[in-house]
Amino acid sequence: MSRVYLYILLMAAVTYLIRMLPLTLIRKEIKSTFIKSFLHYVPYATLAAMTFPAILSATDHIYSSVAGFAMALILALNKKSLLTVAGISCFTAFIVELFFL
């Protein structure tokens, strides 16, 4: 049982160091435009990496998931509202699942 506490303590230390080290080591302003650009896109890339696998496994069949994702992509690129994109893409996945599979 004491190993469990050791593992929890070790994970807490690693998590704390990952968050604390950039704050303490990088004190001056970042002047490199490449690094600034890279850091600007990190949240978007992380969000995409977390949600894309969930989109493809959201339904029983990959085809309905891909159809819903394609519809969402088309609507989003045409600058439709978030509610419209979510509703129509869910409806598309439902219709494909219901009638074609």
Side-chain angles (χ1 to χ4, degrees), residues 14-65:
V14 168
T15 302
Y16 179 74
L17 285 174
I18 289 172
R19 294 168 191 235
M20 188 252 329
L21 283 178
L23 293 174
T24 57
L25 296 178
I26 306 171
R27 292 189 177 238
K28 56 185 174 178
E29 183 182 353
I30 298 172
K31 295 182 179 168
S32 170
T33 56
F34 175 75
I35 294 176
K36 279 185 178 181
S37 174
F38 174 78
L39 291 175
H40 176 75
Y41 289 108
V42 166
Y44 302 112
T46 305
L47 181 64
M50 290 188 312
T51 57
F52 189 70
I55 290 170
L56 295 181
S57 64
T59 63
D60 288 338
H61 301 293
I62 189 81
Y63 301 115
S64 58
S65 296

Side-chain angles (χ1 to χ4, degrees), residues 66-79 85 89:
V66 169
F69 175 69
M71 182 59 71
L73 195 60
I74 290 167
L75 292 171
L77 289 174
N78 286 320
K79 301 197 186 298
V85 171
S89 61

